[in-house]
């Protein structure tokens, strides 16, 4: 069966102010796939993730992004979310005064409304919350606290995955969800992500450690350096990066980086 | 004074000629203020000499006073001689004939607030017989209340029917000489509400100006007097979440609350008068004096306010804690958007022993809004074991607005325990983006954050009022974020 094409990024260039950050990114993600996006600090991974989610402080200067047949860059951030795009933030934001459960319910119902579905009533919502809470083994006391306020680094990351578990996105981008998690938490979060995996959704895992990829096994690994995907491969590429670092890729002549990588990825 | 005596005289004559009950609809007096005008107001209202004297004393005091300059608000000089101090209710001919004639913006707001159709007509000042329905509702309430001995009527009616109570309590909390605006009000007030709860009676309903006959047209100079006799309880709701059609720019109201032994008064306000447009043109100047006196031991007065309207708000609902172990509370949300300015807060004056007060103030400023909290906690020498807790939080939306906090403390007794907490936070792009990424629109995100910020105050409001106030906060902030 033909897998649905979820995301196509073509020759994406973007800058923040005067600084060029993305310099021609190509990426294709199909339903059912797990992609790992790796690369050294400052290479543009979060920028790519934020642009996909609709952050307006970046300016796209060239290229296009197609998400499930739509021009993603024309959609408002909340429309993207309602269309099933989810970003687990590298730095989840604190929202004082807004109850975590209340927030999640507002989010879920906004998405349901977009799909033309009824609001989930309080009883069904709580049942869902309980079930998904177990998936990420999150402390239930975090539910009644303000969103992320005073949460530890690890609790914030877990809360992101918990939200993802409730919202059931089609394309999830996890930006460094592993950083700040100890090894047990990492295992639990990874198990949660794996259990949410379905033939009709996909995950892009952004990380600069291969550690997480022991638990979430990627179908594809891409290396982003200086705003370009310089190499793509399978899970073995991650192991190679673990052994050799990024230096050997950074030293490649400029000309080769311009070669679009997407050909290798279309399945 | 520019108004000629002749004009006045002819008006007075006219009045007697035609009789002012039937002809009242078309009556106004010329603009300006002088003793003749005050006499005229008093005559039109059939007031006893006592009231006229009181008004004249206030007027004579007022002409020696200067407008206060200390509030953190700015506005062009007010020409007090161009104001019309007595205007009878508008005749139906001047009112919109139907909602089709009412500004679509106003209607859109009613829509968002979910105001029932019939109420919209009343609020928008449409000339309809529907008002009669509200009158009959009011009458039903009135009968029920009078069975309990509760008096709830217009101030004018109270002057006619309950003069003893008026004589005893009028000005006992806010004397006519109190301050520039209160003194002006004392001289020229045209109407307002009066309420008396007899000893031991717990008022079974929330008293609301909504149900008071003729209350639909808010006066420019309103006067409210509420007396809770020993061991009684009353919850009073002022205002309305939907904006009223209103052509007066200056509002200077006075509210006096009196709580005798073991009595409790809970006074809630939602103020949503016209704030002016996006550029800061127009809008109401709301200069109000509200004060309560806990005369009796163990009495309690609690102010809760949600202030979202008006171009300028200047008000400090206060409590004089005179009776031993009396309690004063002030819960406030003040929101300023566009070019709105608010200078609001409270005064808690501790006179009696073991008196306690709580102050929770939440200021929200968006766009070019300026929001000032100004509060005084004063403990007199003889007031042993006073406790006060104050919390002042500010929330900024955008970076062109301002929040200012001026907490004053005067403690003349060493046993006082006073706690003050303050915070300033900002709704940042990051928070909005985070919400949007979860599918929540910027508007919903802001109203969610704002409601979270105000929760502590909103929960003090009666239930239905709280729900409306919540919606109102959202509507008032519309367009404040992209
Ligand atoms: N809003 C911004 N303004 C200016 N520079 C930015 C902004 N966002 C990111 N950058 C810069 O772009 C580069 C890539 O950042 P980022 O995408 O966060 O990298 P990564 O996630 O791969 O560590 C860094 O040099 C960072 O400083
Ligand atoms: Mg990053």
């Amino acid at each position: 069966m033909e897998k649905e094409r979820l995301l196509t990024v073509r020759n994406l260039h973007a800058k923040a102010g005067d600084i060029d950050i993305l310099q021609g990114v190509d990426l294709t993600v199909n339903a059912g796939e797990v992609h790992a996006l790796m690369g050294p600090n400052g290479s543009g991974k979060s920028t790519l993730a934020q642009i996909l989610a609709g952050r307006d402080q970046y300016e796209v200067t060239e290229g296009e992004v197609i998400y499930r047949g739509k021009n993603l860059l024309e959609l408002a951030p909340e429309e993207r979310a309602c269309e099933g795009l989810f970003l687990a933030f590298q730095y989840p934001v604190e929202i004082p005064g807004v109850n975590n459960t209340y927030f999640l319910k507002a989010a879920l119902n906004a998405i349901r409304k977009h799909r033309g579905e009824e609001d989930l009533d309080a009883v069904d919502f709580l049942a869902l919350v309980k079930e998904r809470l177990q998936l990420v083994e999150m402390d239930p006391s975090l539910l009644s606290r303000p969103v992320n306020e005073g949460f530890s680094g690890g609790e914030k990351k877990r809360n992101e995955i918990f939200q993802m578990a409730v919202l059931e996105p089609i394309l999830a981008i996890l930006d460094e969800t592993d950083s700040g998690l100890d090894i047990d938490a990492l295992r639990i979060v990874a198990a949660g992500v794996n259990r949410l995996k379905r033939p009709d959704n996909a995950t892009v895992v952004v990380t600069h450690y291969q550690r997480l990829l022991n638990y979430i096994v990627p179908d594809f690994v891409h290396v982003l350096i200086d705003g370009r995907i310089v190499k793509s491969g399978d899970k073995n590429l991650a192991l190679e990066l673990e052994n050799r670092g990024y230096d050997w890729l950074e030293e490649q002549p400029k000309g080769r980086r311009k070669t679009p990588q997407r050909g290798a990825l279309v399945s | 004074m520019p108004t000629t005596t002749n004009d006045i005289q002819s008006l007075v004559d006219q009045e007697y000629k035609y009789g002012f009950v039937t002809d009242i609809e078309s009556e106004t007096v010329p603009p300006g203020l002088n003793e003749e005008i005050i006499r005229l107001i008093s005559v039109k209202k059939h007031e006893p000499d006592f009231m006229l004297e009181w008004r004249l004393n206030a007027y004579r005091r007022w002409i020696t006073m200067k407008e206060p300059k200390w509030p953190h608000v700015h506005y062009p000089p007010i020409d007090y001689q161009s104001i019309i101090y007595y205007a009878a209710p508008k005749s139906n001919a001047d009112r919109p004939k139907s909602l089709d004639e009412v500004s679509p913006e106003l209607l859109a707001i009613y829509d968002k607030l979910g105001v029932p159709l019939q109420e919209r007509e009343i609020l928008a000042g449409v000339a309809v017989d529907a008002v009669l329905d509200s009158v009959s509702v009011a009458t039903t309430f009135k009968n029920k209340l009078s069975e309990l001995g509760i008096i709830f009527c217009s101030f004018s009616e109270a002057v006619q029917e309950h003069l003893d109570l008026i004589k005893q309590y009028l000005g006992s909390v806010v004397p006519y000489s109190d301050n520039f605006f209160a003194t002006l009000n004392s001289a020229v007030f045209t109407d307002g509400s009066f309420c008396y709860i007899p000893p031991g009676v717990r008022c079974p309903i929330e008293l609301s100006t909504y149900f008071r006959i003729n209350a639909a047209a808010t006066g420019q100079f309103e006067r409210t007097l509420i007396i809770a006799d020993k061991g009684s309880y009353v919850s009073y709701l002022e205002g309305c979440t939907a904006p009223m059609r209103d052509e007066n720019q200056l509002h200077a109201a006075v509210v006096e609350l009196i709580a005798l032994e073991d009595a409790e008064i809970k006074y809630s306000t939602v103020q949503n008068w016209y704030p002016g447009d996006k550029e800061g043109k127009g809008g109401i100047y709301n200069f109000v004096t509200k004060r309560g006196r806990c005369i009796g031991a163990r009495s309690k007065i609690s102010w809760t306010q949600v202030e979202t309207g008006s171009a300028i708000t200047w008000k400090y609902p206060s409590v004089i804690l005179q009776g031993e172990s009396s309690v004063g509370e002030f819960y406030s949300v003040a929101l300023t958007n566009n070019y709105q300015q608010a200078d609001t807060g409270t005064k808690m004056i501790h006179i009696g022993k073991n008196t306690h007060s709580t102050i929770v103030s939440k200021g929200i400023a968006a766009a070019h809004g300026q929001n000032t909290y100004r509060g005084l906690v004063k403990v007199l020498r003889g007031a042993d074991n006073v406790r006060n807790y104050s919390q002042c939080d500010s929330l900024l939306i955008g970076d062109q607005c301002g929040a200012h906090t001026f907490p004053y403390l005067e403690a003349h007794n060493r046993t006082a325990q006073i706690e003050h907490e303050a915070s300033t936070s900002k709704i940042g792009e990051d928070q909005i983006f985070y919400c949007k990424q979860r599918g929540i629109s910027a508007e919903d995100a802001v109203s969610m954050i704002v409601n979270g910020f105000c929760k502590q105050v909103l929960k003090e409001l009666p239930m239905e009022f709280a729900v409306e106030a919540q919606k109102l906060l959202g509507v008032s902030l519309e367009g404040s974020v992209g």
Side-chain angles (χ1 to χ4, degrees):
Chain A
M1 199 185 84
E2 186 79 3
K3 286 191 283 185
E4 191 198 351
R5 172 76 53 88
L6 295 183
L7 182 75
T8 313
V9 179
R10 273 195 209 104
N11 190 32
L12 190 67
H13 289 250
K15 58 182 189 179
D18 295 334
I19 309 162
D20 291 320
I21 305 175
L22 300 186
Q23 318 215 41
V25 172
D26 293 272
L27 179 66
T28 302
V29 178
N30 295 316
E33 296 174 350
V34 174
H35 291 243
L37 184 64
M38 302 185 73
N41 269 329
S43 58
K45 304 183 297 294
S46 292
T47 301
L48 177 61
Q50 297 269 330
I51 289 174
L52 294 178
R55 187 94 208 204
D56 64 5
Q57 70 197 47
Y58 300 102
E59 187 194 343
V60 173
T61 52
E62 224 184 305
E64 62 171 359
V65 182
I66 307 297
Y67 172 71
R68 305 181 75 203
K70 288 188 176 136
N71 180 352
L72 185 72
L73 302 178
E74 277 182 356
L75 299 182
E78 59 271 34
E79 288 174 312
R80 301 180 195 197
C82 289
E83 294 277 328
L85 186 99
F86 180 91
L87 171 63
F89 286 70
Q90 181 171 4
Y91 304 107
V93 179
E94 300 193 1
I95 311 180
V98 178
N99 174 284
N100 210 10
T101 313
Y102 181 84
F103 174 80
L104 195 52
K105 193 173 174 196
L108 182 64
N109 283 333
I111 293 169
R112 290 176 68 95
K113 190 174 170 192
H114 180 82
R115 294 200 213 115
E117 294 169 8
E118 294 273 295
D119 278 10
L120 209 57
D121 68 37
V123 176
D124 291 344
F125 177 72
L126 280 180
L128 178 70
V129 160
K130 262 197 174 151
E131 187 207 319
R132 300 298 148 94
L133 205 56
Q134 282 168 4
L135 204 69
V136 293
E137 296 181 32
M138 194 172 88
D139 180 355
S141 73
L142 298 182
L143 287 177
S144 50
R145 289 189 22 200
V147 181
N148 293 325
E149 195 184 39
F151 287 22
S152 72
E155 284 170 338
K156 285 182 182 169
K157 295 303 177 73
R158 235 185 253 223
N159 195 32
E160 294 290 286
I161 301 304
F162 167 61
Q163 292 180 6
M164 170 179 156
V166 172
L167 301 178
E168 302 185 300
I170 292 165
L171 177 64
I173 304 165
L174 313 185
D175 192 358
E176 308 255 6
T177 300
D178 49 341
S179 56
L181 290 183
D182 60 37
I183 196 74
D184 291 331
L186 187 75
R187 212 178 285 147
I188 291 159
V189 164
V193 171
N194 287 333
R195 254 188 285 166
L196 292 167
K197 190 175 162 180
R198 291 193 318 236
D200 62 346
N201 67 16
T203 311
V204 176
V205 181
V206 177
T207 181
H208 61 269
Y209 299 117
Q210 103 91 25
R211 193 175 70 149
L212 176 66
L213 305 180
N214 291 331
Y215 303 100
I216 302 176
V217 181
D219 301 299
F220 302 95
V221 174
H222 313 278
V223 183
L224 188 74
I225 294 179
D226 291 339
R228 284 189 195 91
I229 290 179
V230 296
K231 194 165 177 62
S232 296
D234 63 12
K235 63 179 186 216
N236 292 316
L237 176 57
L239 292 170
E240 197 177 353
L241 292 169
E242 174 91 333
N243 293 328
R244 297 178 63 189
Y246 293 108
D247 297 354
W248 60 286
L249 290 168
E250 284 178 38
E251 274 146 29
Q252 283 187 357
K254 291 248 172 201
R256 284 204 37 201
R257 287 193 203 163
K258 282 212 167 115
T259 321
Q261 302 294 311
R262 90 191 118 94
L265 298 173
V266 178
S267 15
Chain B
M1 304 276 164
T3 323
T4 67
T5 327
N6 266 348
D7 286 350
I8 305 296
Q9 200 50 53
S10 61
L11 270 162
V12 174
D13 290 348
Q14 224 181 22
E15 185 176 289
Y16 285 118
K17 203 159 119 202
Y18 298 108
F20 39 77
V21 177
T22 47
D23 201 30
I24 199 157
E25 287 191 344
S26 57
E27 277 183 89
T28 51
V29 299
L33 189 54
N34 53 42
E35 291 202 6
E36 301 302 322
I37 294 275
I38 288 165
R39 285 176 203 281
L40 180 66
I41 293 171
S42 200
V43 165
K44 277 181 185 285
K45 302 183 74 62
H46 312 266
E47 287 180 349
D49 291 346
F50 160 79
M51 277 310 307
L52 176 62
E53 277 313 304
W54 203 75
R55 288 177 183 279
L56 287 173
N57 285 339
Y59 173 72
R60 288 167 193 153
R61 183 61 177 249
W62 182 73
I63 49 179
T64 69
M65 295 170 102
K66 288 211 157 49
E67 224 173 298
K69 290 289 172 238
W70 49 264
H72 194 87
V73 297
H74 305 278
Y75 53 91
I78 297 170
D79 178 5
Y80 292 93
Q81 293 304 338
S82 72
I83 294 173
I84 295 170
Y85 288 90
Y86 183 87
K90 282 222 154 186
S91 82
N92 276 356
D94 292 343
R95 292 160 165 240
K97 302 280 174 301
S98 73
L99 284 178
D100 298 341
E101 292 177 26
V102 174
S103 117
E105 276 169 43
L106 198 61
L107 294 180
I109 293 171
Y110 292 165
D111 215 33
K112 283 181 187 137
L113 290 171
V115 177
L117 210 64
Q118 189 188 316
E119 264 175 49
R120 294 182 199 192
E121 294 183 325
I122 299 169
L123 291 168
V126 172
V128 283
D129 295 336
V131 179
L132 287 177
D133 289 339
S134 82
V135 169
S136 67
V137 170
T139 315
T140 319
F141 273 115
K142 217 170 167 174
N143 291 341
K144 199 167 155 189
L145 294 176
S146 68
E147 277 167 28
L148 294 164
I150 295 171
I151 304 168
F152 181 42
C153 61
S154 72
F155 204 98
S156 319
E157 194 180 329
V159 169
Q160 303 303 322
E161 312 278 325
H162 310 285
L163 189 60
D164 288 352
L165 286 169
I166 296 279
K167 276 188 174 166
Q168 189 178 352
Y169 290 109
L170 176 67
S172 69
V173 188
V174 181
Y176 67 75
S177 56
D178 194 78
N179 70 71
F180 185 85
F181 295 111
T183 303
L184 176 62
N185 173 290
S186 303
V188 302
F189 74 93
T190 37
D191 217 330
S193 302
F194 176 84
C195 172
Y196 170 81
I197 316 290
V201 170
R202 202 183 157 84
C203 184
I205 53 164
E206 320 265 359
L207 291 187
S208 158
T209 41
Y210 238 28
F211 298 121
R212 212 198 63 218
I213 300 172
N214 288 338
T218 313
Q220 189 172 9
F221 300 100
E222 270 200 301
R223 185 127 199 151
T224 300
L225 178 57
I226 299 174
I227 303 143
D229 212 324
K230 290 180 184 170
S232 69
Y233 168 84
V234 63
S235 166
Y236 187 90
L237 311 182
E238 176 202 281
C240 163
T241 53
M244 298 238 194
R245 182 167 157 275
D246 191 330
E247 278 140 20
N248 302 312
Q249 184 160 43
L250 173 67
H251 279 241
V254 172
V255 176
E256 295 182 275
L257 310 182
I258 293 125
L260 303 186
E261 224 169 83
D262 294 303
E264 179 176 348
I265 303 175
K266 193 172 162 54
Y267 192 104
S268 313
T269 308
V270 173
Q271 184 267 114
N272 187 29
W273 284 331
Y274 183 53
D277 66 11
K278 277 208 151 66
E279 277 73 50
K281 286 203 194 71
I284 304 288
Y285 297 171
N286 186 24
F287 301 149
V288 186
T289 306
K290 289 185 166 174
R291 199 175 300 151
R293 188 186 280 271
C294 285
I295 293 183
R298 297 167 304 277
S299 57
K300 177 175 174 182
I301 289 179
S302 180
W303 297 101
T304 305
Q305 60 173 21
V306 175
E307 303 279 324
T308 62
S310 297
I312 304 175
T313 298
W314 180 95
K315 67 183 273 203
Y316 313 91
S318 303
V319 185
I320 300 167
L321 295 145
Q322 192 177 341
E324 270 184 35
S325 305
S326 58
V327 175
E329 292 175 339
F330 173 73
Y331 297 95
S332 168
V333 170
L335 181 155
T336 53
N337 195 3
N338 298 323
Y339 284 88
Q340 282 178 277
Q341 310 171 55
D343 192 311
T344 181
T346 185
K347 286 187 263 182
M348 293 290 173
I349 313 294
H350 293 264
I351 301 173
K353 292 188 173 64
N354 304 315
T355 49
H356 293 185
S357 61
T358 303
I359 298 172
V360 177
S361 158
K362 304 278 181 175
I364 303 156
H368 298 273
Q370 290 295 327
N371 210 317
T372 301
Y373 169 80
R374 190 184 301 276
L376 169 67
V377 176
K378 188 169 179 171
V379 181
L380 272 68
R381 191 159 293 128
D384 294 335
N385 304 316
V386 161
R387 275 166 56 184
N388 164 265
Y389 170 75
S390 303
Q391 184 188 337
C392 304
D393 298 320
S394 307
L395 182 68
L396 303 175
I397 304 173
D399 40 26
Q400 307 209 270
C401 51
H404 318 272
T405 307
F406 302 105
Y408 302 97
L409 172 64
E410 280 176 43
H412 302 290
N413 184 309
R414 294 228 180 122
T415 60
Q417 285 181 47
I418 288 160
E419 257 183 281
H420 180 87
E421 284 178 32
S423 77
T424 301
S425 50
K426 203 175 153 172
I427 299 188
E429 290 286 313
D430 285 0
Q431 288 170 327
I432 301 293
F433 181 68
Y434 188 79
C435 294
K436 285 184 180 172
Q437 211 305 303
R438 296 298 182 255
I440 300 164
S441 71
E443 271 170 18
D444 288 348
V446 168
S447 85
M448 200 159 76
I449 295 169
V450 166
N451 280 316
F453 177 74
C454 302
K455 219 181 305 181
Q456 237 177 316
V457 173
L458 297 180
K459 76 174 173 32
E460 295 296 325
L461 289 172
M463 188 56 186
E464 330 80 72
F465 227 36
V467 174
E468 285 181 47
Q470 238 183 52
K471 281 197 237 161
L472 179 63
L473 288 168
V475 171
S476 305
L477 279 169
E478 238 160 52
S480 63
V481 284

